[in-house]
Amino acid sequence: MREQVTEARRIVVKVGSSSLTTAAGGLDEGRVDALVEALAATPAEVVLVSSGAIAAGLAPLGLPRRPRDLATQQAAASVGQGLLMRAYNDAFARHGRVVGQVLLTVDDVTRRVHYRNAYRTLRRLLDLKAIPIVNENDTVATQEIRFGDNDRLAALVAALVHADLLVLLSDVDGLYTGDPSLPTSEPIHDVRRFEDLEGIDIRRPGKAGVGTGGMVTKVEAARIATTSGIPVVLSNAPSAGAVLGGLEVGTLFHRQRKRPQARLFWLAHATSPRGRLHLDPGAVRAVVGGHASLLAAGITAVDGRFAAGDPVDLVDVGGVPVARGLVSYDAEELPALLGRSTNELGPAYGREVVHRDDLVLL
């Protein structure tokens, strides 16, 4: 038995599109029911991160395959999300459980107020014994503000809710040393160091062709979660009950380090910088070595177009990012402030350019 699983009190479970739908689109109610039965049986608190909205909307809209353009993907998601939630609501209701829908965009987890709201909503749903069902808000997300795949989203949600375990369910039963269809490939039951995976080819697409993920995204999600102190089990959806029961199925990725502060973890892994602030050597030492806030006096140049509250990278004299933070000024405001001390600027510009509470080292 895996103690990391049996002792977990809060679990985030991610399920992929191919595990819930047919290749032609449309939900497979039998698969949904089987997953829900496994989730309803575990005594732990469960947050479900579910793909499937776009895939579920294909058949009703007469689309033969997953669309490539964003507008049609959003149209399919707007139809499919309601069908997906109805299927989950009906299936969980048969077990006496209530579900709640939580749709997230990147802005919801990078801006401080939005981040706190997302955490409070998820926390309150769990307190009320409901099962939050999380998905990316595909109907409004643009290419620039997308998580990219729900494996990554699940890892970030696990960090947000302080989960004890992340379970990634898909159409493969674990990580292998090669193509699982080849007899020479062997299953990998435990991953204690990611360096041990060097030389293993994981660039294989999923079987069904209705999702966006693959083994690469799952391994990267496992890396994100385990560096947040959260162990990860990778297996297939039919094995959900066995995984949650603690049986040694699939691949277990062991935690790599202790849990960091959740919001800063999101800042490091969930955001894309909207600009860059170039620091002089003294500012680099203060930020990296002294964990200080960034002041205008230590900035030599500004790149990009950003507004106050956007994420920006802080780079050294060689242009290498050393930290990421939420900037306190618009890009147009900063050039006039560069190199000037707080005393010179006066009370109107007395705030830090990036406060240390909104900054994470890279």
Side-chain angles (χ1 to χ4, degrees):
M1 301 292 286
R2 286 172 169 159
E3 292 182 357
Q4 297 95 326
V5 176
T6 57
E7 295 178 356
R9 301 178 63 184
R10 184 175 304 143
I11 301 173
V12 173
V13 177
K14 183 267 178 179
V15 62
S17 298
S18 60
S19 300
L20 300 172
T21 61
T22 65
L27 290 172
D28 186 322
E29 292 186 6
R31 292 181 175 185
V32 173
D33 288 343
L35 173 65
V36 167
E37 183 174 0
L39 299 182
T42 180
E45 294 180 338
V46 173
V47 177
L48 176 60
V49 178
S50 178
S51 301
I54 293 177
L58 298 183
L61 291 175
L63 299 172
R65 63 185 64 85
R66 183 185 176 93
R68 294 182 179 273
D69 66 291
L70 182 60
T72 309
Q73 289 177 13
Q74 292 174 324
S78 69
V79 172
Q81 186 64 33
L83 298 173
L84 184 64
M85 285 304 301
R86 184 178 68 183
Y88 277 131
N89 183 75
D90 293 346
F92 275 108
R94 289 191 284 272
H95 296 272
R97 304 297 299 273
V98 175
V99 301
Q101 176 178 257
V102 180
L103 300 178
L104 297 176
T105 65
V106 168
D107 270 355
D108 293 325
V109 296
T110 55
R111 297 184 183 274
R112 177 177 296 186
V113 174
H114 293 200
Y115 173 90
R116 289 175 175 171
N117 286 341
Y119 172 77
R120 281 197 293 261
T121 299
L122 291 167
R123 178 66 265 167
R124 191 61 180 142
L125 284 168
L126 293 173
D127 289 343
L128 293 170
K129 308 303 180 184
I131 295 181
I133 299 180
V134 180
N135 198 355
E136 181 166 10
N137 196 345
D138 289 306
T139 60
V140 299
T142 64
Q143 296 287 9
E144 290 77 17
I145 61 168
R146 293 179 67 86
F147 290 101
D149 63 79
N150 272 358
D151 295 311
R152 182 168 173 242
L153 173 60
L156 297 169
V157 167
L160 173 66
V161 301
H162 310 295
D164 303 309
L165 177 71
L166 170 62
V167 177
L168 301 175
L169 301 174
S170 66
D171 55 3
V172 292
D173 62 356
L175 186 62
Y176 282 76
T177 57
D179 189 332
S181 64
L182 299 177
T184 55
S185 298
E186 298 181 358
I188 300 174
H189 298 293
D190 288 271
V191 176
R192 298 183 181 276
R193 301 186 317 140
F194 282 88
E195 292 80 1
D196 296 338
L197 298 181
E198 293 179 4
I200 296 177
D201 184 12
I202 58 175
R203 296 170 297 173
R204 296 184 299 277
K207 299 176 183 177
V210 294
T212 59
M215 192 56 68
V216 171
T217 69
K218 289 166 181 56
V219 171
E220 181 57 29
R223 188 190 304 273
I224 291 173
T226 55
T227 55
S228 185
I230 303 168
V232 178
V233 177
L234 169 63
S235 189
N236 57 10
S239 300
V243 170
L244 295 173
L247 299 182
E248 294 187 359
V249 296
T251 303
L252 171 64
F253 295 82
H254 294 258
R255 62 173 61 89
Q256 301 295 302
R257 64 178 69 161
K258 295 181 179 179
R259 192 187 306 273
Q261 185 180 340
R263 191 176 70 85
L264 296 184
F265 185 83
W266 278 74
L267 179 60
H269 293 283
T271 62
S272 296
R274 308 287 175 86
R276 307 203 312 169
L277 307 181
H278 295 259
L279 278 57
D280 63 29
V284 172
R285 287 193 296 271
V287 169
V288 177
H291 301 286
S293 299
L294 176 64
L295 304 178
I299 304 173
T300 60
V302 177
D303 298 332
R305 299 174 61 184
F306 51 83
D310 282 344
V312 296
D313 275 353
L314 282 55
V315 303
D316 62 17
V317 292
V320 177
V322 296
R324 184 171 297 166
L326 303 180
V327 67
S328 299
Y329 297 88
D330 296 344
E332 291 78 8
E333 294 181 272
L334 281 176
L337 312 181
L338 301 189
R340 300 173 65 183
S341 69
T342 303
N343 291 335
E344 289 180 86
L345 294 172
Y349 294 95
R351 64 190 184 275
E352 301 87 348
V353 177
V354 179
H355 193 278
R356 64 184 181 184
D357 292 342
D358 292 327
L359 187 150
V360 61
L361 301 182
L362 299 178

